[in-house]
Amino acid sequence: MQQLQSLQAAPVWSFFEKICAIPHPSKHEEQLTHWIINWAAEKKLACVKDKIGNLILTKSASVGFEGKTPVILQCHLDMVPQKNNDKVHDFLTDPITPIIDGEWLRADHTTLGADNGIGMASCLAILDDDSIEHGPLEVLITTDEETGMTGAFGLEANALQGKILINTDSEQEGELYVGCAGGVNVNVLLPFENMESDISENAYEITISGLKGGHSGVDINLGRANAVKELASVLTNLEGTPFLISSFSGGSLRNAIPREAKAVIVCDEQYYNSIKTVINTLQVSLKDKYRASENNFTVSITPCSLPGSVLTHTSHNNLLSSLDNCVNGVFAMDDNFPNVVETSSNLGVITQQSGSINQFAIQVLVRSQVDTDKHAQADLIAAHFKQFNGRVAKEGNYPGWTPNTDSAIYQIMETQYETLFANKPKAMVIHAGLECGLFSDKYPHWDMISFGPTIKFPHSPDEKVHIASVDNYWALLKATLKAVE
């Protein structure tokens, strides 16, 4: 990324390049944690790893700033591991390859990890540069944010001394985030029964692939297709032809819109051509339905080996009905903030588990700025799957963050933004689960804000960060730290 080094945010890009070189998908952040601890020791910065795996780094105030209000900069360690189906990449061992693409930086057919790698890089760059003026400073780097906010949940109440928290995990330059959605997982175990396949029949794999996917919060209103939902719909449309499902799976993360799904069906060979014709017709209609949001997906059918078993007719029908009729997407928009989703759900993952207990494990993530609405929608989804004998658990509930545009740090950042860019930033809430909601439970006295550079399509291989926006983000971060009284 040498071409980026001449920009104003060169220190940020330098650290981001190092972060990209170290694998750090969710729940596998050990290498990056070790690197940061060693780097802090070389810099003679205090660095503590808490019981849950969070890192807390401390730096003394600049000369003359000792009496300023202590500030906490906050980011998270992990990144979402997503890649295109034809990309060979092991997120546990392979580095991310950043590519300059005009005004944007993206990866080579994988997620880039700008969410939240740019924020983490900026925090380390602040700690690294003694010429940047600031008061007493702590940097909190939380673990496993993307799959369950594990670090935020496990943060101890007396671990930090700061009074202002600046979260670096937002994704639109020019917007200051003062609130976020809460979330809850609806985890379903849908039982199924098997019977032996008829050896005179053939098997076919039906696949939906090439969808854009994306963040199940900030991208949920873009009208993108959900591969699991659409595959269930495709199979439902084949019900005029006798077949039975042997397997069904799709998606990989509850907080990412599923990009791919596949099922193996078994039927008599005489029906293959008619099924293929129906699938080709459905692909045309789906491309028309999603012409504004999807441009490179396929629905395919290919012969495959005959599996030993298929679902019984009842299990087959339960599976398709439960998936096809599960509500998914935007429920309500926020009346107080334009174009912001208030309540949504994402049917994110389905996997098939066979053994002593045969069941499909289904994960749905419900988000809302309104806590009662979040639970109401989760309860509706739970009741839906219970109709089909699903065992349902609501888990991982986390609170939203109530907006406060009168906060001192908001006023400071608004003033600094206007001074730097002769323009007023927008006060926003984000339809995603920032860790600020959890922090407010344990540190109710914290004055919090979230901001970041412009990052498009996080949680998907289309993820990219706008290069010039990082310059603005970096300038505002430095100016804010200097301006805190």
Side-chain angles (χ1 to χ4, degrees):
M1 296 195 297
Q2 292 303 312
Q3 291 171 266
L4 297 176
Q5 299 307 305
S6 62
L7 300 179
Q8 296 174 30
V12 177
W13 294 118
S14 179
F15 276 101
F16 184 62
E17 189 168 19
K18 293 181 176 72
I19 290 167
C20 287
I22 303 170
H24 57 285
S26 298
K27 299 189 181 299
H28 298 279
E29 306 107 323
E30 301 86 357
Q31 292 183 63
L32 185 54
T33 295
H34 185 68
W35 182 86
I36 292 173
I37 291 172
N38 286 342
W39 173 83
E42 292 174 5
K43 290 289 297 181
K44 295 182 170 49
L45 293 168
C47 180
V48 174
K49 181 181 177 182
D50 70 10
K51 294 177 182 178
I52 204 71
N54 300 318
L55 297 178
I56 301 172
L57 297 90
T58 307
K59 187 175 183 182
S60 300
S62 304
V63 175
F65 285 73
E66 294 85 354
K68 303 293 186 180
T69 302
V71 171
I72 303 154
L73 297 180
Q74 191 265 320
C75 57
H76 63 79
L77 273 165
D78 57 323
M79 66 170 285
V80 169
Q82 291 279 284
K83 66 182 185 67
N84 286 329
N85 191 45
D86 57 354
K87 172 66 177 178
V88 177
H89 185 93
D90 187 341
F91 284 97
L92 298 181
T93 58
D94 298 340
I96 299 298
T97 304
I99 297 172
I100 298 171
D101 187 359
E103 298 179 355
W104 300 85
L105 186 74
R106 59 175 176 82
D108 183 16
H109 300 288
T110 71
T111 38
L112 175 63
D115 169 19
N116 182 223
I118 295 291
M120 184 172 15
S122 68
C123 292
L124 297 176
I126 292 289
L127 292 171
D128 189 55
D129 190 345
D130 293 335
S131 70
I132 297 172
E133 297 176 305
H134 56 77
L137 186 65
E138 293 167 300
V139 170
L140 170 63
I141 310 178
T142 53
T143 186
D144 191 32
E145 187 267 353
E146 297 289 5
T147 63
M149 296 196 179
T150 304
F153 270 112
L155 181 67
E156 295 182 355
N158 59 352
L160 293 120
Q161 306 305 311
K163 297 180 179 179
I164 294 172
L165 181 129
I166 301 174
N167 171 281
T168 63
D169 196 18
S170 294
E171 291 155 357
Q172 183 61 53
E173 194 278 323
E175 297 179 350
L176 303 179
Y177 287 82
V178 295
C180 73
V184 64
N185 301 318
V186 181
N187 294 331
V188 182
L189 295 175
L190 185 70
F192 68 88
E193 294 182 345
N194 278 340
M195 59 185 183
E196 289 187 6
S197 300
D198 186 333
I199 60 173
S200 68
E201 296 187 321
N202 288 1
Y204 306 96
E205 184 175 84
I206 300 175
T207 302
I208 292 182
S209 60
L211 293 171
K212 290 183 177 179
H215 192 293
S216 69
V218 297
D219 294 332
I220 199 70
N221 62 332
L222 298 181
R224 292 181 172 179
N226 179 308
V228 173
K229 289 283 293 176
E230 295 302 337
L231 181 56
S233 178
V234 166
L235 294 177
T236 299
N237 277 282
L238 297 180
E239 288 293 355
T241 302
F243 75 94
L244 286 171
I245 295 170
S246 174
S247 64
F248 191 115
S249 62
S252 59
L253 295 166
R254 85 207 193 297
N255 58 354
I257 301 168
R259 301 170 49 251
E260 297 169 351
K262 63 182 179 180
V264 172
I265 68 169
V266 173
C267 67
D268 193 282
E269 185 180 10
Q270 66 177 309
Y271 298 113
Y272 172 68
N273 288 333
S274 60
I275 290 176
K276 187 172 183 179
T277 298
V278 172
I279 286 176
N280 289 339
T281 301
L282 289 170
Q283 175 166 263
V284 172
S285 64
L286 283 173
K287 287 191 173 180
D288 183 61
K289 177 181 177 182
Y290 293 106
R291 62 184 179 277
S293 57
E294 302 281 2
N295 56 14
N296 192 33
F297 72 93
T298 58
V299 185
S300 62
I301 179 170
T302 55
C304 63
S305 300
L306 182 70
S309 63
V310 293
L311 304 188
T312 63
H313 288 84
T314 298
S315 295
H316 170 105
N317 292 332
N318 282 349
L319 175 65
L320 289 186
S321 295
S322 65
L323 295 178
D324 194 31
N325 296 309
C326 176
V327 292
N328 182 81
V330 176
F331 296 129
M333 301 298 290
D334 193 322
D335 293 334
N336 299 311
F337 293 88
N339 302 316
V340 173
V341 176
E342 183 175 85
T343 307
S344 74
S345 74
N346 177 59
L347 200 170
V349 183
I350 177 170
T351 57
Q352 188 167 353
Q353 301 170 352
S354 299
S356 56
I357 299 177
N358 294 329
Q359 58 194 9
F360 289 97
I362 301 166
Q363 299 178 39
V364 183
L365 174 56
V366 178
R367 303 178 188 264
S368 183
Q369 271 82 274
V370 181
D371 196 59
T372 53
D373 289 354
K374 174 183 69 180
H375 287 290
Q377 292 297 340
D379 289 342
L380 285 174
I381 293 170
H384 166 72
F385 281 104
K386 287 178 181 178
Q387 296 178 70
F388 304 97
N389 300 316
R391 300 191 302 278
V392 184
K394 288 168 58 180
E395 298 175 325
N397 179 55
Y398 58 89
W401 166 31
T402 304
N404 177 20
T405 56
D406 293 326
S407 78
I409 188 59
Y410 177 83
Q411 302 300 328
I412 289 169
M413 292 193 77
E414 182 183 56
T415 298
Q416 294 306 309
Y417 193 92
E418 289 186 85
T419 300
L420 287 168
F421 309 119
N423 194 19
K424 192 170 184 176
K426 295 179 182 178
M428 294 291 292
V429 299
I430 189 170
H431 191 63
L434 294 176
E435 292 163 293
C436 299
L438 288 169
F439 297 150
S440 63
D441 275 358
K442 296 177 182 177
Y443 293 89
H445 63 285
W446 276 358
D447 186 6
M448 297 187 291
I449 199 162
S450 178
F451 82 123
T454 298
I455 300 171
K456 295 294 187 183
F457 317 126
H459 299 191
S460 84
D462 293 327
E463 180 186 9
K464 59 183 181 179
V465 58
H466 191 249
I467 295 167
S469 75
V470 178
D471 281 346
N472 287 5
Y473 161 77
W474 177 237
L476 181 58
L477 177 59
K478 292 188 294 181
T480 298
L481 291 175
K482 183 176 181 179
V484 169
E485 292 298 327

